[in-house]
Amino acid sequence: MSQVKSTGKSDPNYKVIAENRRARYDFAIDEDIECGVILEGSEVKSLRMGGSNIAESYAAVEDGELWLVNSYIAPYKQAKTFGHELRRRRKMLVSRKQLAHLWNATQRKGMTLVPLVMYFNHRGMAKLKIGIAKGKKNHDKREASAKRDWSRQKSRLLKDNG
């Protein structure tokens, strides 16, 4: 599982737009794939201003295409007559091989496609990292939370003693 990381001052175009932090808690993510997103002009301007939410969205393979469903992009106030729909379905760009892999994962293995991070890459293009995931049960969530709490306590003890 790779995380999207900022390259710092050397890369002025890189910017995380929206992150779905809850996804790693609710789902066990097997792998992630970087996808392009087809956007309108007012959507890109709104994303540069920082107004979006992917926490309630999901991706789906329908009719041989990959779609981002229920993602929110805030309205861009300067685009009065040529604005965009706030929660429209947005087409995502992947290769045919990746699309076939995603379809197999969702149809045969019972997995789901969860958006993890939306960001502008080093070239200034809007990208979305989606994860192929399986839903966690409540006891799995409690177990992960207990492990996290234990590791925090352990690191505190090591700091105090060291």
Side-chain angles (χ1 to χ4, degrees):
M1 287 184 269
S2 64
Q3 291 280 354
V4 177
K5 301 217 185 221
S6 174
T7 57
K9 296 177 183 177
S10 64
D11 198 359
N13 291 330
Y14 181 86
K15 178 183 176 187
V16 173
I17 303 164
E19 188 173 4
N20 188 358
R21 294 182 181 181
R22 183 104 182 147
R24 296 201 186 271
Y25 177 76
D26 289 337
F27 298 96
I29 298 172
D30 286 347
E31 61 180 290
D32 51 11
I33 296 175
E34 181 183 63
C35 306
V37 184
I38 296 179
L39 300 171
E40 295 178 1
S42 60
E43 291 174 328
V44 175
K45 296 232 180 202
S46 179
L47 289 176
R48 293 216 182 269
M49 301 287 284
S52 69
N53 185 6
I54 60 170
E56 300 167 355
S57 62
Y58 63 95
V61 179
E62 297 173 4
D63 298 327
E65 296 177 335
L66 185 62
W67 294 93
L68 179 64
V69 182
N70 201 28
S71 64
Y72 173 79
I73 296 179
Y76 185 64
K77 293 180 182 175
Q78 284 78 5
K80 293 178 179 150
T81 56
F82 300 104
H84 61 274
E85 289 182 44
L86 303 181
R87 290 195 179 267
R88 73 177 181 91
R89 292 166 32 118
R90 293 167 177 88
K91 188 174 178 182
M92 295 173 29
L93 304 171
V94 292
S95 69
R96 287 183 185 168
K97 187 176 181 180
Q98 287 176 330
L99 186 63
H101 176 68
L102 294 173
W103 186 86
N104 282 336
T106 57
Q107 298 299 315
R108 293 186 183 160
K109 298 178 186 173
M111 308 287 257
T112 186
L113 303 176
V114 181
L116 301 174
V117 181
M118 183 181 275
Y119 60 96
F120 287 111
N121 68 357
H122 67 282
R123 291 177 44 204
M125 307 291 280
K127 299 288 183 178
L128 182 72
K129 191 159 284 231
I130 61 170
I132 301 173
K134 191 162 197 85
K136 286 184 183 176
K137 306 284 186 209
N138 282 336
H139 64 274
D140 293 334
K141 293 177 188 180
R142 285 193 297 267
E143 185 178 310
S145 180
K147 283 182 184 178
R148 188 172 52 246
D149 292 343
W150 171 246
S151 65
R152 286 182 188 161
Q153 289 176 354
K154 189 176 176 182
S155 64
R156 285 186 198 145
L157 290 172
L158 291 173
K159 283 182 184 178
D160 293 342
N161 293 336

